[in-house]
Amino acid sequence: MDALELLIAKDAIRDLQSRYMRGQDRLDAQMQHDCFWPDATTDYGIFKGSGHDFVAFAQDLLKGHKANQHLIGQSLIEVEGDIGFGEVYYFAFHRVEIDGQDRDMIIAGRYVDRYERRDGVWKFAHRTELVDWGRMDPAADGFLADLTGILMGARGAEDRSSQRDWLRTA
């Protein structure tokens, strides 16, 4: 694999990582499903099984949250022909309600991935999630309610990022 082919492969894998996270945050199950090969496996500790079964598990779990945001940090990607290996840092924010109080659950860790290119397309063949640390705090963004003109994010079609027709003429 020459330098240009390697660069293209790594870019496709980074795009895969971003689509996975967007599918999770916007509760777009189809986008997240499309990131896994049909025979992909996962091990998240709290869930171990197929990639597609994990998507159903995660989407159902996150529906109970008020908001989520997953940020991708540095990633080390190594490509060996049609197989790639990755270590991807993440920072995950979850707004949850516990005993009637909004809480912010923050989890940071890494994904350890195996990617496979089939018919020119890169997808997850295996994904493991490692948790490095976490914390739970009372929600502290009540001040936003006092500000006017704030555009808040949403899930699915309600989020501006899903409104391509609006964005074309904005």
Side-chain angles (χ1 to χ4, degrees):
M1 179 175 285
D2 68 26
L4 182 57
E5 291 172 320
L6 181 61
L7 183 65
I8 290 169
K10 287 183 175 188
D11 188 60
I13 291 169
R14 285 187 194 98
D15 187 62
L16 171 69
Q17 296 166 355
S18 294
R19 286 193 322 273
Y20 171 89
M21 290 305 204
R22 186 179 194 283
Q24 197 147 315
D25 287 341
R26 302 280 64 84
L27 293 180
D28 185 335
Q30 188 59 54
M31 178 178 281
Q32 204 170 14
H33 271 288
D34 291 344
C35 294
F36 288 96
W37 289 115
D39 58 345
T41 58
T42 66
D43 186 355
Y44 287 76
I46 61 171
F47 180 92
K48 185 174 184 175
S50 76
H52 288 209
D53 287 345
F54 172 76
V55 170
F57 168 81
Q59 294 278 319
D60 187 56
L61 178 69
L62 296 177
K63 284 178 188 172
H65 294 184
K66 292 187 170 187
N68 300 99
Q69 189 174 68
H70 293 78
L71 304 176
I72 299 172
Q74 68 270 26
S75 61
L76 177 62
I77 301 168
E78 297 173 339
V79 178
E80 299 174 0
D82 289 333
I83 298 175
F85 302 94
E87 180 184 33
V88 183
Y89 284 70
Y90 72 85
F91 188 85
F93 168 87
H94 307 277
R95 172 64 53 86
V96 296
E97 185 177 319
I98 299 175
D99 297 328
Q101 300 292 316
D102 283 349
R103 308 278 295 174
D104 292 334
M105 180 173 53
I106 301 167
I107 301 172
R110 293 165 287 129
Y111 292 107
V112 177
D113 298 324
R114 186 179 79 247
Y115 319 101
E116 291 182 6
R117 179 173 52 186
R118 301 178 189 174
D119 296 322
V121 176
W122 288 97
K123 293 187 181 188
F124 295 112
H126 179 81
R127 176 157 258 208
T128 292
E129 180 183 68
L130 305 175
V131 174
D132 290 324
W133 62 270
R135 62 184 293 160
M136 181 83 74
D137 299 308
D141 62 352
F143 70 93
L144 290 174
D146 297 331
L147 300 177
T148 58
I150 298 293
L151 298 175
M152 297 296 290
R155 290 180 167 164
E158 299 302 313
D159 191 75
R160 284 262 174 109
S161 67
S162 297
Q163 299 170 1
R164 189 62 52 92
D165 290 338
W166 166 83
L167 190 54
R168 287 182 203 286
T169 60

